[in-house]
Amino acid sequence: MQRTIAEKISCTGIGLHSGEPVQLTLHPARADAGIVFARTDLHEPVDVPALHSAVTSTRLATTLGAGDATIGTVEHLLAALVGLGIDNVRVEVDGPEIPVMDGSAASFVFLIRAAGVFEQDVPRRSLRIRRPIEVRDGDRAIRVEPAHDLRVSYSVDFAHPAIGRQQLRGLAIDGELFEQEICRARTFGFLREVEVLWRNGLARGGNLDNTVVLDDFRVLNRDGLRWPDEFVRHKVLDLLGDLALLGMPVEGHIVVERGGHALHQRFVRTLLEHPEHWTSEPKLPASTRRPARARRAATARATA
Ligand SMILES: [Zn+2]
């Protein structure tokens, strides 16, 4: 069945690009409402649906917009929502971007868990892949094949001594796997690129508390990585957030070679333009496992 959050909940953080404080509030929403963003700092409140049709930029992060209202860096919050199986929620934010928190989706998972999950009385609709489809851009590619649930294989290949080739195969994405293996993976950037962003007035809120930063040889964060392959795990997190813009969960095995936000959205658009490759029908989900109390405490510690 479709799910929303049990009650409204807020948090405050800084915007990655502006460096300014932003308040984020999640509200429960009715069945079939989907995920909708709203800017509360504008004269005319504008709703921005979390759909591919609202994407205005995929540079550095995924940005949505409607009219004059834009909302940046939506992908980590979206990943947390879909990772925990939330279909309907209203996301209010009083600035142009979602707060970066620690650069991962862990704080959003904590927030959703604190609000609680409410199961609604309308079946969920999912996008079930019937025939393979592929998008390619040089040596980057995304392919999806039929499967009974959402599976993700992802590989990255960076000519950098701290990253190299990292690969995750056949991850069966459910709430438990998302919370344990994916949601804490942080965004990363290279010092020489970050310096260019700073010179251009971007990434002002970016620092070692919310980004894994690498110079030419190593990771600069004093506490190092959360996993040796944190980079590819974060790519999976980004993919899940970007897939949320399909407006419904996917049933298929998605295989990504060197993806990024732009290619993820090209894949989403290609899928939507080729409905002969999938069907969409209401379906009762398989078991939606709830986390154990111990794991909830571990997530709380990780985000404290
Ligand atoms: Zn990311």
Side-chain angles (χ1 to χ4, degrees):
M1 305 305 270
Q2 295 184 26
R3 301 161 108 200
T4 185
I5 53 172
E7 56 186 60
K8 86 166 188 183
I9 194 159
S10 299
C11 72
T12 305
I14 58 162
L16 180 62
H17 289 299
S18 66
E20 299 287 332
V22 211
Q23 185 170 33
L24 172 80
T25 305
L26 307 181
H27 296 265
R30 61 170 175 79
D32 292 327
I35 300 169
V36 177
F37 290 88
R39 287 272 300 270
T40 55
D41 58 322
L42 302 177
H43 273 309
E44 299 261 312
V46 183
D47 284 2
V48 183
L51 293 174
H52 173 74
S53 53
V55 173
T56 59
S57 168
T58 51
R59 190 172 160 262
L60 304 173
T62 300
T63 303
L64 304 178
D68 293 335
T70 60
I71 297 174
T73 325
V74 294
E75 62 272 15
H76 302 162
L77 172 60
L78 287 175
L81 289 167
V82 301
L84 298 186
I86 304 292
D87 305 276
N88 307 300
V89 69
R90 182 175 177 83
V91 180
E92 290 185 350
V93 63
D94 65 355
E97 51 185 327
I98 300 299
V100 61
M101 311 314 283
D102 72 344
S104 78
S107 301
F108 303 127
V109 165
F110 179 71
L111 203 64
I112 296 162
R113 285 294 174 210
V117 175
F118 180 77
E119 195 163 280
Q120 300 172 295
D121 53 7
V122 178
R124 174 183 288 160
R125 196 172 271 280
S126 50
L127 190 156
R128 187 174 304 166
I129 301 296
R130 294 295 187 196
R131 286 160 51 195
I133 193 164
E134 184 179 75
V135 295
R136 189 166 271 285
D137 175 19
D139 60 359
R140 302 162 172 268
I142 304 180
R143 177 182 167 82
V144 63
E145 290 160 10
H148 290 299
D149 45 20
L150 174 59
R151 276 170 199 272
V152 171
S153 296
Y154 210 117
S155 46
V156 298
D157 201 346
F158 286 89
H160 187 287
I163 311 179
R165 184 164 178 85
Q166 301 192 341
Q167 195 165 21
L168 292 169
R169 283 209 186 148
L171 294 180
I173 305 287
D174 60 11
E176 192 172 329
L177 180 128
F178 180 75
E179 281 195 66
Q180 291 188 340
E181 308 290 342
I182 303 296
C183 86
R184 292 178 61 247
R186 293 162 296 170
T187 195
F188 57 96
F190 299 96
L191 187 60
R192 53 173 79 197
E193 292 173 9
V194 175
E195 285 169 338
V196 173
L197 293 175
W198 282 336
R199 275 202 294 278
N200 290 301
L202 295 167
R204 280 183 200 160
N207 58 51
L208 293 168
D209 291 329
N210 55 36
T211 308
V212 175
V213 180
L214 303 108
D215 67 9
D216 290 345
F217 308 100
R218 61 193 178 90
V219 169
L220 299 181
N221 305 60
R222 205 165 34 159
D223 294 337
L225 296 172
R226 292 176 177 175
W227 295 275
D229 62 353
E230 187 170 356
F231 307 98
V232 68
R233 290 173 191 248
H234 187 79
K235 286 290 191 175
V236 172
L237 195 164
D238 279 342
L239 174 73
L240 295 175
D242 283 332
L243 287 175
L245 300 176
L246 282 164
M248 54 189 149
V250 183
E251 285 174 30
H253 181 187
I254 302 177
V255 182
V256 185
E257 180 72 31
R258 298 180 171 94
H261 292 302
L263 195 66
H264 296 165
Q265 283 313 318
R266 230 186 88 201
F267 171 71
V268 166
R269 187 179 69 231
T270 304
L271 258 185
L272 293 172
E273 285 173 353
H274 292 277
E276 72 277 14
H277 286 254
W278 47 270
T279 56
S280 159
E281 54 212 47
K283 181 202 164 196
L284 293 180
S287 68
T288 38
R289 280 172 285 183
R290 300 268 160 93
R293 188 175 293 271
R295 189 145 33 75
R296 206 176 300 161
T299 312
R301 271 200 304 281
T303 55

